[in-house]
Amino acid sequence: MKSLPEWTDLRFFLELARSGTLSGASRRLEVEHTTVARRIDRLEQQLGATLFDRSREGYELTEMGHAVLPHAESMEAAVLAAQDQLSDTEVAVRGVVRLGVPEVLGVRVITPLLARFLQEQPDLSVDLLVQPRFANLANREADLGVTLDPPSTGRY
């Protein structure tokens, strides 16, 4: 084994082991079936072992594939646990944001929602720039801009 396998390759391995077909794994992973095949080939090359028996009916784990499976599942469980822990951790939101908005939208919609939002985020300050035109972000008139229509010029 020349290098350690990538976690993403092991994800492809797990999905193929679970679905039994390239098309099933590709649907679950939202990639082309050729990508799944390429990732499995790379993983097998890195591990120096055949992980699947290929047939017309699909893919079936070999003895080595069965040996790798619990390790890949453990890695998946660790990644999911980390993701759960991180999603429970609150990210501190602080600083000043200048928000440019059209007049009616700013007064009737944004302002009532902003009051409650700022109570939940006491370290954040929002300068609401209520304007009859789009705030020029390139000239740093605002940090964020809300429009009712998409801009017709510029890179926005």
Side-chain angles (χ1 to χ4, degrees):
M1 180 166 57
K2 295 179 183 177
S3 63
L4 293 174
E6 292 184 27
W7 159 242
T8 53
D9 289 345
L10 290 167
R11 276 188 61 219
F12 282 72
F13 165 78
L14 283 173
E15 288 304 329
L16 185 55
R18 290 170 180 157
S19 69
T21 64
L22 289 176
S23 59
S26 69
R27 271 192 303 277
R28 295 270 319 239
L29 294 165
E30 298 179 346
V31 297
E32 294 293 323
H33 70 281
T34 55
T35 302
V36 176
R38 193 173 55 251
R39 292 295 193 99
I40 296 302
D41 289 343
R42 181 170 74 178
L43 181 61
E44 288 179 332
Q45 185 177 13
Q46 284 179 324
L47 295 176
T50 302
L51 302 174
F52 293 96
D53 283 327
R54 291 138 171 97
S55 70
R56 277 194 161 149
E57 289 77 39
Y59 284 62
E60 197 168 315
L61 286 172
T62 62
E63 188 175 326
M64 287 302 296
H66 281 289
V68 170
L69 185 62
H71 300 291
E73 288 173 334
S74 294
M75 290 177 72
E76 178 186 48
V79 168
L80 291 173
Q83 186 179 26
D84 286 346
Q85 185 176 9
L86 290 173
S87 67
D88 290 341
T89 305
E90 287 190 30
V91 176
V93 177
R94 66 176 72 104
V96 177
V97 175
R98 292 171 299 152
L99 177 62
V101 297
E103 290 174 301
V104 174
L105 181 68
V107 172
R108 301 236 182 214
V109 178
I110 302 291
T111 300
L113 295 173
L114 195 57
R116 186 170 31 129
F117 176 72
L118 290 175
Q119 286 177 345
E120 295 170 6
Q121 305 296 332
D123 294 334
L124 181 66
S125 175
V126 176
D127 291 344
L128 191 60
L129 307 171
V130 180
Q131 300 177 330
R133 61 176 178 77
F134 178 65
N136 189 329
L137 301 180
N139 290 342
R140 309 210 16 99
E141 289 180 359
D143 299 312
L144 298 170
V146 177
T147 64
L148 300 176
D149 297 312
S152 57
T153 61
R155 60 180 194 214
Y156 304 106

